[in-house]
Amino acid sequence: QVQLVESGGGLVQPGGSLRLSCAAPGIIFSIYHMGWYRQAPGKQRELVAAFTSGGNTTYTDSVKGRFTISRDSDRNTVYLQMNSLNPEYTAVYYCKAQRYDMNYWGKGTQVTVSS
C-alpha cells in the first residue's frame, strides 16, 4: 500500500518562499515517477513539476525558474522548493507516485499566497 503524506504548506506573502515535502515510505524512486500537482478553486488539477524517466525533471511553464523539485532517496521524500510566489499559485498541492498505469495520491497541502 502506497501512502504519500504532504506537508509544508501554509500562508505566505507574495514574493515569499515555501518548501513542500512529500513523505513516501517504501517508495523506490527508480521505479516510481514522482510529481507535484496543484488544484486551485474551480480549476482542474494540473501538473506542477515531476521526475521523468532517467531522473530528468519537467515543469509547467508558469513555475519554471521559480520552483525546483528534488528527492532524497535516503529519506524517501520528495520536495518542492517554491520561490517568488504569487497569488496565482494559491492551491492545494498534491504529491503523486506513478508506476505504469497505477497512480497514488496524497491528501494535499494548502498553499495560500496573500498579503
Side-chain angles (χ1 to χ4, degrees), residues 47-92:
L47 172 69
V48 176
F51 286 100
T52 60
S53 299
N56 296 315
T57 56
T58 186
Y59 297 89
T60 191
D61 285 346
S62 65
V63 307
K64 287 180 180 177
R66 297 171 183 255
F67 290 11
T68 303
I69 188 171
S70 62
R71 62 193 179 189
D72 185 332
S73 298
D74 291 338
R75 297 177 185 268
N76 283 108
T77 302
V78 179
Y79 302 98
L80 185 67
Q81 177 67 44
M82 306 187 296
N83 299 326
S84 302
L85 289 164
N86 67 56
E88 294 178 354
Y89 297 151
T90 293
V92 178

Side-chain angles (χ1 to χ4, degrees), residues 72-115:
D72 185 332
S73 298
D74 291 338
R75 297 177 185 268
N76 283 108
T77 302
V78 179
Y79 302 98
L80 185 67
Q81 177 67 44
M82 306 187 296
N83 299 326
S84 302
L85 289 164
N86 67 56
E88 294 178 354
Y89 297 151
T90 293
V92 178
Y93 284 71
Y94 297 91
C95 179
K96 187 183 88 168
Q98 178 185 354
R99 186 181 184 200
Y100 302 122
D101 61 346
M102 297 181 294
N103 294 313
Y104 304 93
W105 295 91
K107 294 183 178 180
T109 184
Q110 175 71 46
V111 172
T112 302
V113 184
S114 175
S115 55

